[in-house]
């Protein structure tokens, strides 16, 4: 089979040329990394689950009128997306203290924040994705002030949607990271959600047990990562539980 041209390979995903101009294929790998690649493992089944969870979330966001790059899932590991010009920022939204914020400010993990907080990191592996302020972003021209306004309102809308979605299935949305890009349509340009939304880039805690159901299971060597991701998918109604689900892997409902 003729393999498509590879456009970009990241730590957890590969982008291939799409079937039509202005489209790409986003392929979800099983690789898990942490500490900017210092820790790396291949976790069988993670890519399939993230593809499916991200499809679910992006489809709902599109339906709500929150613009995304997502067109449709094409198979177990791939989705068709619109090609966008990625803005070199990681946008982190936090509802509860955890991770680097808890460490930086000496907060007890699990403390609810006075309000949702948005942080930015400059996407640069060599520099370890340093945290930056709105001043850096506009001064260095990574985004204009108007784009930054759009990015922040997009991030708040995504947070409101995700927090409600997960609360409905007994999961607390602690924080998450998104990426955005510029989508050019004729003379128009708009900021759209890109990348993925999955337990790889969210902190998800079970409301009852306080168990972690996200990539912290890998970062903190807790084990059971795929089982947790599968549980998230099952609660969202994406996968149905089968007697031998662990042996046979995820079974698609749709
Ligand atoms: P942090 O507490 O380590 O700064 O992470 C905040 C959120 O962002 C958490 O949900 C994990 C996510 N995240 C990524 O998706 N990619 C990254 O490279 C980092 C550092 C965090």
């Amino acid at each position: 089979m003729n393999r498509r041209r590879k456009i970009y390979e990241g730590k957890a995903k590969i982008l291939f040329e799409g079937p039509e101009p202005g489209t790409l294929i986003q392929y979800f790998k099983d690789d898990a990394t942490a500490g900017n690649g210092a820790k790396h493992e291949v976790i069988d089944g993670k890519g399939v689950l993230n593809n499916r969870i991200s499809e679910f979330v992006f489809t709902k966001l599109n339906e709500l009128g929150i613009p995304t790059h997502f067109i449709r899932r094409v198979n177990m590991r791939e989705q068709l997306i619109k090609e966008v010009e990625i803005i070199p920022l990681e946008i982190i939204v936090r509802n509860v203290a955890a991770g680097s914020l808890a460490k930086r400010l000496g907060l007890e993990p699990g403390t609810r924040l006075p309000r949702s907080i948005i942080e930015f990191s400059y996407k640069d592996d060599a520099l370890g994705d340093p945290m930056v302020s709105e001043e850096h972003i506009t001064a260095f021209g990574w985004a204009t002030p108007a784009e930054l306004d759009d990015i922040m309102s997009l991030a708040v809308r995504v947070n409101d949607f995700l927090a409600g979605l997960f609360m409905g299935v007994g999961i607390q949305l602690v924080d998450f990271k998104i990426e955005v890009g510029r989508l050019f349509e004729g003379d128009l340009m708009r900021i759209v959600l890109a990348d993925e939304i999955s337990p790889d880039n969210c902190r998800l805690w079970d409301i009852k047990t306080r168990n972690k159901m996200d990539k912290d299971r890998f970062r903190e060597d807790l084990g059971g990562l795929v089982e947790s991701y599968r549980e998230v998918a099952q609660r969202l109604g994406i996968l149905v539980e089968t007697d031998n689900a662990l042996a046979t892997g995820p079974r698609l409902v749709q």
Side-chain angles (χ1 to χ4, degrees):
M1 193 180 105
N2 234 347
R3 200 57 195 162
R4 291 157 298 215
R5 195 161 64 89
K6 192 192 284 188
I7 304 287
Y8 171 81
E9 179 155 4
K11 292 190 277 271
K13 291 188 295 297
I14 307 173
L15 294 178
F16 293 103
E17 200 169 51
E20 287 159 29
T23 66
L24 297 174
I25 294 288
Q26 178 165 253
Y27 176 98
F28 287 74
K29 302 196 281 187
D30 279 338
D31 298 62
T33 62
N36 198 17
K39 185 173 152 112
H40 175 235
E41 241 175 75
V42 174
I43 302 182
D44 199 24
K46 180 175 82 76
V48 171
L49 284 160
N50 282 351
N51 184 23
R52 200 64 183 77
I53 294 168
S54 199
E55 173 203 16
F56 179 84
V57 171
F58 275 64
T59 301
K60 298 244 180 246
L61 291 172
N62 280 341
E63 283 167 6
L64 282 173
I66 298 176
T68 83
H69 71 165
F70 179 81
I71 302 173
R72 62 185 162 82
R73 182 171 60 84
V74 288
N75 59 42
M76 294 288 273
R77 288 197 180 267
E78 295 179 326
Q79 36 185 254
L80 180 66
I81 59 171
K82 295 174 191 164
E83 184 171 23
V84 300
E85 183 181 280
I86 289 288
I87 291 179
L89 295 173
E90 296 199 335
I91 300 124
I92 293 164
V93 184
R94 301 180 184 272
N95 300 306
V96 171
S100 68
L101 177 74
K103 204 178 280 177
R104 202 184 320 131
L105 299 185
L107 299 170
E108 181 63 30
T111 313
R112 179 153 278 285
L113 300 173
R115 61 175 172 82
S116 302
I117 293 174
I118 302 179
E119 294 175 350
F120 302 97
S121 295
Y122 177 53
K123 257 173 78 72
D124 186 317
D125 281 343
L127 298 175
D129 299 336
M131 190 173 171
V132 292
S133 73
E134 294 172 50
E135 280 287 285
H136 298 103
I137 294 167
T138 52
F140 290 112
W142 300 323
T144 65
E147 287 173 333
L148 203 45
D149 282 349
D150 287 351
I151 293 169
M152 290 176 75
S153 56
L154 186 83
V156 169
R157 290 185 77 190
V158 172
N159 184 45
D160 288 347
F161 167 73
L162 284 182
L165 175 76
F166 285 119
M167 189 186 291
V169 296
I171 295 172
Q172 183 177 37
L173 177 67
V174 172
D175 57 33
F176 63 96
K177 182 267 298 186
I178 54 171
E179 295 185 24
V180 298
R182 297 183 185 95
L183 177 66
F184 295 92
E185 291 168 317
D187 288 343
L188 296 177
M189 184 280 290
R190 58 184 173 145
I191 298 291
V192 305
L193 185 67
D195 193 47
E196 69 175 306
I197 293 181
S198 74
D200 262 12
N201 36 50
C202 300
R203 281 201 175 90
L204 303 171
W205 294 353
D206 186 293
I207 288 174
K208 270 200 206 123
T209 65
R210 316 305 295 152
N211 278 344
K212 296 180 177 180
M213 306 176 77
D214 56 63
K215 207 169 97 175
D216 274 352
R217 300 207 70 85
F218 169 73
R219 295 187 190 98
E220 298 170 13
D221 292 317
L222 299 173
L225 178 134
V226 162
E227 291 75 8
S228 288
Y229 285 28
R230 187 173 293 133
E231 169 79 18
V232 171
Q234 277 165 352
R235 290 204 200 173
L236 291 172
I238 300 167
L239 304 176
V240 288
E241 205 156 357
T242 55
D243 291 339
N244 55 356
L246 284 181
T248 59
R251 183 164 86 76
L252 291 182
V253 170
Q254 297 162 32

